[in-house]
Every structure is written in structure tokens, then in C-alpha cells.
Amino acid sequence: MSEPREIAERLLDAQVEFLLAEVTGDRFAEVLARDTESVLQVADTLVFRDIVEVEQAKQTVRTVIDLIGGSPVFADMVGVFADSVYDHIAANHDYTLGQVVEREPVEALLEKIFGMHQAQERILDRLTESPLVATVASKFVDKLINDFMQVNRERAEKIPGVSSLMSFGQSAANRAKKVADSTFVGDLAGKGALFALKRTNNAIREMLRDAPVHDAAMEFWDLHADEPVSGLREYLSQKDLNELVVLCYEIAVTTREKEYFGLLVDECVEVFFTKYGDYTVAAMLPELGLTGDDIANEILRYGPAVLEGAKKNGVLAGLIRERLAPFYTSDAVLGILAGK
């Protein structure tokens, strides 16, 4: 009669072969469908709030954002992805912008933006609080006036005798400007620029509320909607796109390190638990747009190749044997096989 240890070894070999067969060929799909159904049956008895605590979820989400969001892979590939997208856009003449992006949501988005009067009011009010903005507005007005004067000067200088008179007038104006910049007159000019800015803001308010800005924006969209997607390349170079994407990535990476961002993440987790905490794990899948078949299909998409590779090099059999061997060589099992 065989020794208990020898019998245990044979049983171990038999179970390893059995499990390897379970993940081979068509059998793997059958086993996966069976096990997926079983897992979902169990998941339908587990309430999400009972198996995951809020604080655990917060820590997990923070860890994912911290580790994956700042991983070297993203850092290395973000610029490469931008270049690849640009190359594809540049080469693609088969699709128009209107085919890629529907008109209705664009129209709704623009309507919402132009209808956000509270945001517009706040932005315009804050602009008037900035001395620098007033300075910029003043320079802008000066530029308009100077350009207007230059055009008229060029016309006037064509008239005999007027050239010297224009030169004298310009000299006097320059001297007056120097005095105005350091006197009460200069202060009045600054206040005038601010007043002009406020008047401009009022005009902007009226334009956004009364003028057909929305229709004009949609006309601009319609002009581009029938053009190939490759036409977007005319708005920026590959270098511009690359640098913009990298800068946005830098903003995202540095922002996620801030304490305030962590508070936002925690709040999102709290909201999620408030809405879905009482769902069972299985009931949450439809809310995520998933079914058991979707999960099984995705595993079947990659699983067979991974398992087949692990079988060929012996790694899979070794792992199974390593997990089962302690059971078959345990004193309890050897005792049973010895009839004790």
C-alpha cells in the first residue's frame, strides 16, 4: 500500500492538472461565466456601505490620485500623446468637426455661458477693481487715438505747409503729456480711464444680454462644422499643443498635492456614499453602465493570452502547486490518508 505522503503527492498532481484544464481553451470561458455569475450572486447580498467604510474609500481615492496621477508613465507620455493627436488631426480629412461634435450640446453650452449673468457681473466688477486693468484700458484707448491721429497726419502732410504745423503740434502734445503724467491732470487721466472702463463694462453687459451674441457664436461654429477636423491645425502648431498639454498636466499634478484638493476629493466620496451607499455591490454595476457579461468579456479579452503564456513557461502550474502543497502535506491530510 502506498505511503500517505506518496498519495498526497499524487492527489496534488491531479488537482494541479485539473485546475490547469479549467483555464484552457473553451473551458476557461465556461468557468469564467460560472464564476462571474456566482460572484454577482454574492455581491447582490452585500450592501456597499457595510463592506466599505467612508474613511477607507477616501484614503483609497486619494492613493489612486496620488500614485497613478503622478506616475512616471503619465509624465513621460503626456507630451507624446499630444504630438500623436496632433499628427492624427493633421492627417485626417475624412471627418468634419460637425460629425465629431454634435451641434445641439454646443448650442446649449454657449446659451448657458451667455446666460450666466451673475458670473459676468462679478468678472466685470472685479476688472474695474484692478488698477492694472485700468492702465491697460488707458493704453488701449491711447493706441486707438494715436492710430487715428497717425492716419490723419499722413493725409494732412500731403497738403503743402501743413507738415511743419503738425510737427509743432505733436511736440506741444508730448510736452503736455509729460506734465500730465506727474500732476493732478495725470491723476484725472487715470480716473478717466477707470471711468471709461466702467462704461465699457456696461456696454459689454448690454451686449451680452441684448445683442445676438449667441447667434453670432453659432454662426462661427457653423462655419467650421463642415470643415475637416484637420482644419483645427490652423489654430495652433504642434509645439503649441504640446506645450499647452504639458502645462495643463503640470497644473493638474501640482493641484492634486494641495490640501484643498484633498478636501474636494473627500467631499466627492461623501456625496457618492450618500447616493449609493445603500446599494448592493451588484446593483451598482448597472449604475456604472456595466453588466456581468461586460466583466466576463473584458476578462476573456486579455485573460487567455496571459494564462497561456503563464502555462507555457510553467509559472502557472508552479503557483498553483505552491498554494496547494501545504494543504496536502499537512499533518491533518496525511493522517486521513493513513487512516488515522
Side-chain angles (χ1 to χ4, degrees):
M1 184 176 180
S2 301
E3 292 292 330
R5 185 168 292 277
E6 181 183 346
I7 297 174
E9 290 291 341
R10 289 167 56 190
L11 288 173
L12 176 59
D13 291 340
Q15 186 161 14
V16 169
E17 291 298 323
F18 174 80
L19 292 176
L20 287 174
E22 291 280 89
V23 295
T24 299
D26 295 338
R27 179 60 182 157
F28 178 63
E30 297 173 5
V31 171
L32 181 61
R34 178 201 67 196
D35 291 347
T36 300
E37 182 178 356
S38 298
V39 170
L40 290 179
Q41 288 177 354
V42 174
D44 202 31
T45 66
L46 302 174
V47 176
F48 186 74
R49 190 189 301 278
D50 294 339
I51 60 174
V52 180
E53 296 181 1
V54 175
E55 294 304 319
Q56 290 177 326
K58 290 178 181 179
Q59 189 58 50
T60 298
V61 174
R62 286 193 178 211
T63 300
V64 170
I65 293 174
D66 182 55
L67 297 181
I68 297 180
S71 68
V73 172
F74 282 101
D76 292 339
M77 294 302 295
V78 64
V80 178
F81 286 150
D83 291 340
S84 178
V85 169
Y86 190 90
D87 289 338
H88 180 70
I89 290 176
N92 194 315
H93 303 282
D94 299 329
Y95 298 94
T96 65
L97 185 60
Q99 290 175 322
V100 177
V101 182
E102 295 288 337
R103 189 181 194 275
E104 287 74 12
V106 173
E107 185 172 14
L109 175 62
L110 291 175
E111 185 174 351
K112 179 60 180 177
I113 291 174
F114 292 127
M116 295 171 60
H117 300 309
Q118 180 178 345
Q120 295 163 10
E121 292 282 347
R122 184 57 176 162
I123 291 172
L124 293 173
D125 287 342
R126 292 308 299 264
L127 284 175
T128 59
E129 296 173 8
S130 170
L132 183 58
V133 172
T135 301
V136 172
S138 177
K139 290 184 179 295
F140 177 71
V141 173
D142 287 346
K143 177 64 176 173
L144 291 177
I145 295 174
N146 289 337
D147 287 347
F148 176 78
M149 293 294 295
Q150 180 63 29
V151 171
N152 285 277
R153 182 185 301 109
E154 291 174 356
R155 292 176 180 173
E157 286 178 346
K158 296 178 181 179
I159 303 175
V162 175
S163 178
S164 58
L165 182 61
M166 291 292 295
S167 177
F168 174 77
Q170 182 63 45
S171 177
N174 290 337
R175 288 196 299 271
K177 185 176 186 301
K178 289 181 180 179
V179 174
D181 287 340
S182 59
T183 63
F184 175 71
V185 178
D187 183 55
L188 284 179
K191 293 181 178 179
L194 187 59
F195 175 76
L197 180 60
K198 291 182 178 180
R199 294 288 296 173
T200 302
N201 287 347
N202 290 334
I204 293 174
R205 288 188 179 95
E206 293 176 4
M207 179 189 69
L208 291 175
R209 295 193 178 194
D210 301 329
V213 180
H214 175 268
D215 294 339
M218 288 311 301
E219 283 188 8
F220 178 80
W221 167 263
D222 291 334
L223 287 174
H224 292 77
D226 294 330
E227 296 181 357
V229 174
S230 58
L232 296 174
R233 181 174 176 269
E234 298 177 5
Y235 285 92
L236 74 171
S237 67
Q238 186 173 31
K239 182 173 182 293
D240 290 333
L241 178 62
N242 183 289
E243 291 178 350
L244 283 172
V245 171
V246 171
L247 288 172
C248 290
Y249 172 75
E250 287 296 326
I251 292 174
V253 169
T254 54
T255 300
R256 72 182 173 81
E257 299 173 351
K258 301 297 188 292
E259 181 180 357
Y260 182 73
F261 183 78
L263 296 177
L264 292 178
V265 171
D266 290 347
E267 181 62 23
C268 290
V269 173
E270 292 277 2
V271 171
F272 180 86
F273 265 78
T274 300
K275 184 172 179 60
Y276 296 106
D278 295 325
Y279 279 58
T280 65
V281 176
M284 284 184 61
L285 291 180
E287 299 296 321
L288 297 172
L290 296 173
T291 65
D293 290 339
D294 294 328
I295 296 173
N297 289 337
E298 290 305 313
I299 296 175
L300 285 173
R301 192 187 307 276
Y302 306 103
V306 174
L307 293 172
E308 191 61 31
K311 283 175 59 181
K312 285 183 178 179
N313 58 26
V315 171
L316 183 58
L319 289 174
I320 294 174
R321 182 177 297 277
E322 183 180 320
R323 299 299 184 275
L324 296 177
F327 169 76
Y328 283 101
T329 58
S330 66
D331 292 339
V333 172
L334 293 177
I336 293 172
L337 295 176
K340 296 181 181 179

